[in-house]
Amino acid sequence: MMRDKNWEQSLYDHQHIMIKHLDIHRQKERTEPLSTDERMAVEHAFQLLVASMLDFARYVLEHHYNHKVNTREEVLEALIKHKDVTYEQGQQIEALIELRNKILNDYLNENFELLSSALALRRYALVEVLTKEWTNRLDSL
């Protein structure tokens, strides 16, 4: 299967924009509470960012290891199996996935406290780091 370098670059650019948006909200939240619309925007950007990381990981697993993963839920296990992430990265990815799932599946409850602490730690920056690492891995083939 052929790589789609335009898609890879577009995904990276999109992730970079989402991270910038999250950074803006993270900075603002330190000085004043976010409005309901801003909180929803942060949740949406966070969900998209984590989903894009998982989709890119699936793409890498398929193109680098010839390993087909059918669902996003299987991605982390496959990355660990192929020793494609460190233990710490695996732990962080798991935390990002869990938070995304809480926001996605339990959207009526207040999960913003959890998201707010994830923003404060800037955990989402890992997505951009991994995308660069995985792109380099694909380039080395």
Side-chain angles (χ1 to χ4, degrees), residues 88-109:
E88 291 79 17
Q89 288 172 332
Q91 295 292 303
Q92 286 187 46
I93 291 169
E94 187 172 25
L96 292 173
I97 291 169
E98 284 176 17
L99 181 51
R100 176 185 180 267
N101 289 341
K102 279 185 177 142
I103 294 167
L104 197 61
N105 299 315
D106 198 19
Y107 48 84
L108 294 178
N109 288 334

Side-chain angles (χ1 to χ4, degrees), residues 6 48 51 66 78 80 113 140-141:
N6 288 334
L48 288 175
N66 212 15
I80 291 168
E113 298 295 316
S140 70
L141 286 178

Side-chain angles (χ1 to χ4, degrees), residues 16-133:
H16 189 72
I17 290 166
M18 284 186 283
I19 286 171
K20 281 186 145 190
H21 283 300
L22 290 172
D23 281 343
I24 289 167
H25 289 298
R26 181 175 59 88
Q27 294 296 336
K28 183 179 179 199
E29 191 184 24
R30 289 180 177 170
T31 57
E32 63 183 278
L34 298 179
S35 70
T36 302
D37 286 348
E38 288 170 324
R39 290 171 86 163
M40 289 176 74
V42 168
E43 287 180 347
H44 185 68
F46 183 81
Q47 287 176 25
L48 288 175
L49 187 62
V50 175
S52 73
M53 173 191 65
L54 295 173
D55 288 345
F56 195 68
R58 282 171 71 178
Y59 176 86
V60 170
L61 287 163
E62 192 169 322
H63 286 81
H64 188 71
Y65 298 106
N66 212 15
H67 181 125
K68 188 104 168 122
V69 179
N70 296 315
T71 66
R72 287 179 179 153
E73 288 72 29
E74 299 170 27
V75 169
L76 181 55
E77 186 179 314
L79 290 172
I80 291 168
K81 176 182 166 200
H82 288 287
K83 296 179 175 55
D84 209 75
V85 291
T86 65
Y87 177 79
E88 291 79 17
Q89 288 172 332
Q91 295 292 303
Q92 286 187 46
I93 291 169
E94 187 172 25
L96 292 173
I97 291 169
E98 284 176 17
L99 181 51
R100 176 185 180 267
N101 289 341
K102 279 185 177 142
I103 294 167
L104 197 61
N105 299 315
D106 198 19
Y107 48 84
L108 294 178
N109 288 334
E110 285 296 316
N111 289 305
F112 202 77
E113 298 295 316
L114 296 170
L115 182 55
S116 186
S117 66
L119 288 179
L121 294 171
R122 211 172 174 273
R123 278 193 154 152
Y124 54 86
L126 173 70
V127 173
E128 199 168 24
V129 170
L130 289 174
T131 297
K132 281 185 176 176
E133 283 181 15

